[in-house]
């Protein structure tokens, strides 16, 4: 039996089992529109036996209640505030006006672990919070590595909420002090807010965490809600950095733990070491924690020797994820201009040794760039062509991965060249030579017919991208409709012209290299897509 | 000849694409009743199935199906498409299920963790449901672990991608993939056992008839 058959049988069973209650939904939606308020989530079960028992119990309570005084009963059972605790476990505690617990709800699996078999109904809020924090510590959710907790008091009465928030924040802060580490408590009071309800519901998080993330997103403008929603409170606390004032309503006690990371000092050492700078000669040094592409990073900026540097260092393992170096315009040094570059005499005809010396010489004495002309000649030499052979020449000064280089592109003799020449040393960092698909030999300035006749024997007939794709698809055993991220490029590999085809289908990444003339599959790879 | 179950399921694949679902939700926001009906029949088995896989009680799952559509109706206007309408609907479903579990825990109506093997005695599936379907659901809910059955329903019934499921259940993708394949293997074995038994009994009947 195939997977698909198994899935189909399961789907069929659930399809048959799902009830048709659309009429009931429609009538409830309409009564809502007509202004009748109905409590959807508290809707009674339609016809279970248990439902009837509750109904009977409710009726009984009502009768007894009216005898004893309905008001007293209601005030006892009215939820006046919801206190949520977020670490990674998120727990909601509902209390009445006397701060007696009406219910404790775990919102995720971690929270269910924390809660275990404990029952807090009727307990005081203090006892409940104390027990829950204790359980979080015991279960390792709050630890030396991740010490932050978010406390949110959700109530209509903002003034009372703020008092309760402060009291609980102090209590939790004391509970988290121990010999090994101290905690970090973020606390806030939140009131009714429709947008917050939707955010919390959509992402399945507490309103408190939704509020914290919303404020972070609004502040930075660099992150999206989606990106931050999976972060722990400790990570969010670190993102907020030292400047907690940016939050409107969030108070902060203690410092978020950075012990899970390499630390700002080590990150600084890595960045400076990479540049070869010592601490004393660096200016305007700044280091912030940030979250990019799914990982925590140290974002480091500084000025050194006339350049602005910008580093992203992986906070967990110290890898340099990105390094940028840019000329500091404010720095009082000779700026690089195109006139200066072109002032260097064109060295195409010089012997190779002279050119190399000309290139090396300035870099030994100063940090000046070699100039575009020297870079160009190096590129031409590497390609084995002369100035007269080349067309579509383009040169740009670029900076990437901590290195400054001239990026030089040109075409010559039916090939496209792409060279990167180090701007200080003249070293060839990268040299790419690719067949130029648009190339027509220089003699072909004659009418189109002659053109076709002449090029035919030189350029063998290729099978075409569509044929190549269908060869790949049939080899993979999938149809075009199942495929995403399809790319197809004509390329030359080991002297063979072929179509390089990559795509995703199901849980796999595929890569093919198909001979452009024979259609033979030269390479095929199938990898699980992580 | 195709087995009976295969003949009856043609056309059961989720028919609407994400952008069509998005458009449908946009029309619901404008108060279009047909759009609500269209969405309902498109996703009801996904919502009900997912709710059932969490709650293990058909009556509660039916309540969640009801509440989920009320919620979709009410919040359609504030829905911002992230290209994942199904994930949005399933997240609402999941939240409603957990609210229900919480409410139940609070009222102490019944113990939240029904042992897996007892699940069917707590479930009142529609009386018109065939015995075979009943057994399949029983096996799916009783024979699989909690996460396994949620993942199976989300993929096989809702048509969500493993990547989306991983994001929604906050599990690493490889975990979702391995749980899915393990669960599907169990279900496959169950089906194969059943088919063998059916074949055997069919064979017996045939032989009896020929005597």
């Amino acid at each position: 039996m195939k997977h698909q058959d198994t899935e189909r049988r399961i789907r069929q069973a659930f399809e048959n089992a799902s009830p048709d209650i659309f009429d009931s939904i429609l009538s409830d939606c309409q009564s809502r529109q007509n202004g009748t308020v109905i409590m959807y989530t508290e809707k009674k079960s339609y016809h279970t036996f248990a439902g009837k028992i509750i109904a009977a119990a409710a009726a009984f309570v009502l009768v007894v209640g009216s005898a004893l005084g309905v008001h007293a009963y209601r005030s006892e059972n009215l939820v006046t505030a919801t206190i949520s605790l977020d670490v990674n476990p998120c727990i909601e505690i509902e209390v009445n006006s006397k701060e007696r617990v009406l219910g404790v709800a775990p919102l995720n699996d971690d929270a269910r672990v924390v809660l275990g078999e404990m029952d807090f109904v009727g307990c005081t809020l203090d006892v409940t919070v104390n027990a829950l924090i204790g359980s979080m510590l015991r279960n390792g959710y709050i630890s030396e590595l991740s010490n932050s907790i978010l406390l949110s008091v959700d109530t209509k009465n903002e003034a009372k909420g703020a008092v309760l928030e402060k009291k609980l924040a102090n209590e939790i802060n004391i509970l988290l002090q121990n010999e090994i580490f101290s905690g970090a408590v973020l606390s806030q009071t939140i009131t009714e807010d429709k947008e917050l309800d939707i955010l919390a519901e959509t992402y399945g998080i507490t309103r408190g965490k939704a509020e914290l993330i919303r404020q972070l997103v609004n502040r930075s403008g660099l992150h999206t809600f989606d990106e931050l929603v999976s972060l722990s409170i400790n990570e969010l606390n670190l993102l907020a950095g030292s400047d907690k004032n940016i939050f409107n309503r969030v108070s902060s006690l203690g410092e978020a733990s950075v012990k899970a990371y390499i630390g700002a000092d080590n990150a600084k050492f890595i960045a400076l070491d990479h540049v070869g700078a010592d601490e004393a000669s660096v200016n305007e040094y700044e280091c912030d924690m940030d979250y990019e592409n799914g990982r925590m990073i140290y974002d480091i900026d500084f000025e050194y020797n006339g350049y602005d540097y910008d580093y992203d260092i992986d906070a967990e393992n110290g890898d340099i994820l990105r390094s940028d170096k840019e000329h500091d315009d404010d720095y009082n040094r000779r700026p690089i201009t195109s006139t200066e570059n072109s002032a260097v005499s064109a060295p195409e005809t010089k012997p190779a040794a002279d050119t190399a010396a000309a290139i090396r010489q300035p870099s030994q004495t100063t940090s000046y760039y070699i100039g575009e002309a020297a870079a160009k000649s190096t590129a031409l030499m590497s390609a084995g062509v002369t100035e007269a052979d080349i067309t579509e020449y383009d040169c740009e000064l670029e900076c990437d991965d901590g290195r400054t280089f001239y990026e030089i592109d040109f075409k010559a003799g039916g090939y496209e060249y792409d060279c990167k020449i180090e701007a200080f040393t003249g070293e060839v960092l990268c040299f790419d030579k690719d067949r130029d698909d648009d190339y027509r030999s220089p003699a072909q300035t004659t009418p189109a017919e002659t053109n076709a006749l002449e090029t035919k024997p030189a350029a063998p007939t290729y099978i075409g991208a569509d044929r190549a794709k269908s060869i790949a698809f049939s080899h993979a055993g999938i149809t075009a409709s199942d495929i995403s991220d399809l790319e197809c490029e004509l390329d030359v590999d080991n002297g063979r012209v072929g179509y390089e085809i990559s795509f995703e289908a199901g849980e796999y990444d595929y890569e093919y290299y198909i001979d452009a003339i024979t259609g033979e599959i030269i390479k095929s790879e199938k990898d699980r897509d992580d | 000849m195709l087995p009976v179950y295969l003949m009856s399921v043609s056309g059961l694949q989720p028919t609407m694409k994400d952008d069509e679902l998005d458009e449908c939700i946009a029309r619901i926001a404008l108060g279009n009743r047909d759009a609500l009906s269209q969405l309902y029949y498109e996703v009801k088995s996904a919502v009900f199935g997912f709710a059932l896989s969490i709650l293990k009680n058909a009556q509660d799952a039916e309540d969640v199906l009801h509440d989920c559509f009320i919620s979709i109706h009410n919040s359609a206007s504030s829905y911002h498409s992230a290209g994942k309408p199904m994930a949005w609907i399933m997240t609402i479903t999941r939240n409603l299920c957990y609210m229900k579990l919480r409410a139940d825990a609070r009222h102490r109506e019944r113990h939240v963790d029904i042992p897996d093997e007892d699940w069917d005695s707590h479930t009142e599936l529609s009386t018109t449901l065939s015995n075979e379907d009943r057994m399949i659901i029983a096996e799916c809910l009783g024979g699989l672990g909690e996460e396994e059955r949620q993942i199976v329903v989300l993929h096989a019934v809702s048509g969500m991608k493993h990547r989306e499921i991983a994001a929604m259940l906050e599990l690493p993708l490889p975990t979702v993939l391995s749980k899915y394949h393990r669960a599907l293997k169990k279900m496959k074995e169950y089906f194969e056992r059943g088919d063998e038994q059916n074949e055997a009994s069919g064979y017996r009947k045939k032989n009896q008839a020929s005597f």
Side-chain angles (χ1 to χ4, degrees):
Chain A
M1 182 189 281
K2 286 182 182 168
H3 261 24
Q4 286 93 324
D5 297 337
T6 311
E7 289 176 353
R8 223 173 291 153
R9 287 172 85 160
I10 295 169
R11 187 158 56 235
Q12 172 74 67
F14 278 98
E15 175 73 29
N16 293 344
S18 62
D20 188 351
I21 52 164
F22 185 67
D23 289 343
S24 143
I25 290 169
L26 196 62
S27 72
D28 281 351
C29 289
Q30 276 165 344
S31 54
R32 175 93 177 178
Q33 270 165 349
N34 294 340
T36 321
V37 178
I38 41 177
M39 297 295 287
Y40 302 112
T41 52
E42 294 300 324
K43 190 173 66 67
K44 291 282 186 290
S45 290
Y46 302 120
H47 23 243
T48 52
F49 180 61
K52 284 175 189 158
I53 294 178
I54 302 166
F60 175 75
V61 167
L62 207 66
V63 172
V64 175
S66 50
L68 297 177
V70 176
H71 178 74
Y73 170 77
R74 280 184 60 198
S75 70
E76 284 282 314
N77 288 279
L78 204 64
V79 176
T80 53
T82 305
I83 289 96
S84 62
L85 302 175
D86 274 280
V87 176
N88 185 44
C90 4
I91 295 181
E92 271 182 10
I93 308 163
E94 289 182 345
V95 293
N96 65 13
S97 57
K98 294 178 181 165
E99 290 181 19
R100 287 276 170 181
V101 174
L102 298 173
V104 177
L107 296 198
N108 56 12
D109 291 340
D110 285 344
R112 277 181 274 282
V113 173
V114 170
L115 202 52
E117 295 293 309
M118 294 188 281
D119 180 9
F120 295 107
V121 177
C123 295
T124 63
L125 184 57
D126 295 353
V127 168
T128 307
V129 168
N130 203 317
L132 288 172
I133 298 290
S135 175
M136 284 185 189
L137 285 165
R138 268 197 311 282
N139 286 295
Y141 290 109
I142 305 176
S143 67
E144 197 181 357
L145 300 181
S146 177
N147 67 344
S148 302
I149 182 167
L150 173 68
L151 160 78
S152 312
V153 178
D154 191 344
T155 174
K156 282 181 183 160
N157 188 332
E158 209 170 338
K160 275 192 179 171
V163 174
L164 184 58
E165 175 204 324
K166 199 163 178 212
K167 187 182 95 177
L168 285 177
N170 284 326
E171 270 177 28
I172 293 172
N173 194 38
I174 292 164
L175 288 173
L176 292 182
Q177 307 293 333
N178 57 47
E179 308 90 61
I180 306 163
F181 70 98
S182 50
V185 186
L186 292 176
S187 63
Q188 60 184 349
T189 301
I190 45 183
T191 49
E192 271 183 289
D193 185 332
K194 189 134 191 279
E195 190 189 323
L196 213 54
D197 294 343
I198 294 163
L199 283 172
E201 180 164 313
T202 310
Y203 290 97
I205 54 177
T206 60
R207 297 175 81 242
K209 189 172 177 185
E211 171 66 18
L212 187 71
I213 296 174
R214 186 170 65 173
Q215 293 203 31
L216 270 171
V217 169
N218 287 345
R219 172 187 70 146
S220 75
L222 296 172
H223 299 113
T224 62
F225 205 95
D226 270 330
E227 237 182 334
L228 300 186
V229 81
S230 58
L231 293 191
S232 71
I233 297 299
N234 198 59
E235 288 164 326
L236 293 172
N237 198 1
L238 285 170
L239 273 193
S242 50
D243 182 16
K244 301 279 181 343
N245 295 330
I246 46 110
F247 294 127
N248 289 334
R249 299 183 282 198
V250 181
S251 315
S252 168
L253 291 168
E255 291 292 325
S257 169
V258 290
K259 291 198 176 147
Y261 306 108
I262 57 166
D265 288 344
N266 282 323
K268 183 178 187 178
F269 175 79
I270 289 167
L272 296 189
D273 186 54
H274 189 251
V275 178
D278 62 82
E279 206 168 334
S281 50
V282 162
N283 294 319
E284 299 195 28
Y285 182 88
E286 265 182 46
C287 176
D288 290 312
M289 278 203 103
D290 203 350
Y291 183 73
E292 256 178 39
N293 298 325
R295 57 180 96 197
M296 294 297 289
I297 59 160
Y298 289 100
D299 182 0
I300 295 175
D301 298 296
F302 57 90
E303 258 181 42
Y304 170 65
N305 205 18
Y307 291 90
D308 286 333
Y309 290 85
D310 184 0
Y311 276 82
D312 285 354
I313 312 269
D314 189 309
E316 279 178 31
N317 58 27
D319 283 350
I320 298 176
L321 300 172
R322 186 178 66 96
S323 67
D324 263 1
K325 174 184 175 185
E326 246 175 62
H327 193 264
D328 177 9
D329 296 336
D330 306 330
Y331 195 75
N332 190 19
R333 280 195 75 105
R334 184 182 102 148
I336 306 304
T337 64
S338 55
T339 49
E340 280 165 322
N341 289 337
S342 56
V344 181
S345 66
E348 295 93 0
T349 52
K350 279 186 183 172
D354 279 6
T355 318
I359 292 163
R360 254 184 255 115
Q361 186 258 331
S363 68
Q364 282 166 348
T365 51
T366 68
S367 305
Y368 298 164
Y369 297 156
I370 58 168
E372 183 184 335
K376 183 179 177 182
S377 82
T378 310
L380 295 185
M381 267 195 324
S382 308
V385 295
T386 63
E387 174 90 47
D389 299 332
I390 64 168
T391 56
E392 298 186 35
Y393 169 81
D394 183 41
C395 176
E396 276 175 37
L397 191 63
E398 302 243 343
C399 212
D400 189 20
D401 214 15
R403 300 193 90 151
T404 311
F405 54 85
Y406 291 96
E407 173 138 22
I408 298 177
D409 302 312
F410 57 88
K411 289 182 177 180
Y415 287 94
E416 285 179 348
Y417 295 87
D418 177 5
C419 314
K420 292 187 171 116
I421 312 290
E422 227 283 355
F424 296 98
T425 63
E427 180 195 346
V428 180
L429 298 175
C430 162
F431 181 81
D432 260 7
K433 179 180 175 182
D434 263 321
R435 189 176 286 277
D436 175 11
D437 298 336
D438 307 326
Y439 179 67
R440 298 279 176 274
S441 80
Q444 293 162 6
T445 45
T446 41
E449 290 88 351
T450 348
N451 234 344
L453 281 173
E454 276 183 14
T455 49
K456 225 169 194 171
T461 326
Y462 295 153
I463 56 167
D466 288 342
R467 175 83 193 108
K469 280 185 223 165
S470 74
I471 291 171
F473 295 170
S474 69
H475 182 265
I478 39 189
T479 56
S481 58
D482 299 324
I483 282 163
S484 61
D485 291 344
L486 174 67
E487 277 181 32
C488 178
E489 267 183 4
L490 196 62
D491 205 354
V492 187
D493 194 8
N494 279 332
R496 284 179 93 165
V497 183
Y499 291 97
E500 190 167 306
I501 300 172
S502 62
F503 52 88
E504 281 181 34
E507 289 100 51
Y508 291 94
D509 282 333
Y510 294 84
E511 235 182 279
Y512 281 88
Y513 194 74
I514 313 274
D515 189 298
I517 298 163
T518 64
E520 183 198 342
I521 299 173
I522 299 169
K523 184 185 90 173
S524 70
E525 263 183 33
K526 181 181 174 182
D527 265 343
R528 194 171 275 267
D529 176 16
D530 291 324
Chain B
M1 202 188 86
L2 275 174
V4 179
Y5 66 87
L6 276 184
M7 291 195 296
S8 59
V9 296
S10 54
L12 255 181
Q13 293 281 351
T15 50
M16 285 167 82
K17 293 193 179 119
D18 283 351
D19 52 346
E20 291 170 322
L21 287 172
D22 273 347
E23 194 207 317
C24 204
I25 296 169
R27 284 191 290 136
I28 293 170
L30 298 172
N32 186 321
R33 225 184 285 175
D34 290 343
L36 190 68
S37 154
Q38 202 184 347
L39 186 75
Y40 175 78
Y41 289 105
E42 181 69 23
V43 305
K44 78 173 165 77
S45 54
V47 172
F48 178 78
F50 187 41
L52 195 57
S53 74
I54 298 175
L55 300 167
K56 293 191 278 181
N57 177 299
Q59 191 52 60
D60 286 349
E62 189 174 321
D63 289 352
V64 165
L65 174 63
H66 175 277
D67 292 348
C68 178
F69 268 82
I70 300 292
S71 185
I72 289 172
H73 174 261
N74 293 340
S75 51
S77 56
S78 54
Y79 166 69
H80 296 294
S81 170
K84 292 172 191 149
M86 205 55 168
W88 180 65
I89 294 169
M90 296 324 247
T91 304
I92 294 176
T93 307
R94 186 170 185 241
N95 291 340
L96 288 169
C97 287
Y98 284 124
M99 275 164 69
K100 197 150 202 71
L101 288 176
R102 260 150 54 194
D104 286 348
R106 212 171 295 162
H107 293 306
R108 301 268 159 217
E109 263 180 50
R110 62 178 171 82
H111 202 270
V112 183
D113 295 316
I114 301 168
D116 283 342
E117 59 275 15
D118 289 353
W119 80 274
D120 51 353
S121 58
H122 293 263
T123 303
E124 298 167 8
L125 286 166
S126 156
T127 47
T128 57
L129 193 66
S130 77
N131 214 27
E132 188 189 350
D133 287 339
R134 198 180 291 272
M135 296 298 286
I136 292 173
I137 293 177
E139 181 65 21
C140 205
L141 301 196
L144 304 179
E146 178 158 358
E147 281 174 344
E148 281 178 348
R149 65 174 171 266
Q150 289 185 23
I151 293 168
V152 163
V153 170
L154 286 172
H155 188 75
V157 186
S158 317
M160 275 172 73
K161 298 203 168 36
H162 287 122
R163 203 175 305 205
E164 294 172 334
I165 296 171
M168 185 171 133
L169 300 183
E170 293 173 2
L171 292 170
L173 182 61
T175 311
V176 170
L177 285 168
S178 68
K179 278 187 193 286
Y180 182 74
H181 289 292
R182 202 177 314 137
L184 214 61
K185 204 172 148 204
K186 284 187 204 166
M187 289 308 290
K188 201 164 135 185
E189 283 165 6
Y190 164 78
F191 284 134
E192 282 167 355
R193 271 201 311 277
D195 288 348
E196 275 166 22
Q197 279 167 9
N198 286 343
E199 270 169 32
S201 69
Y203 178 75
R204 270 199 304 279
K205 272 183 198 161
K206 210 169 151 190
N207 280 352
Q208 280 163 4
S210 65
F211 285 129

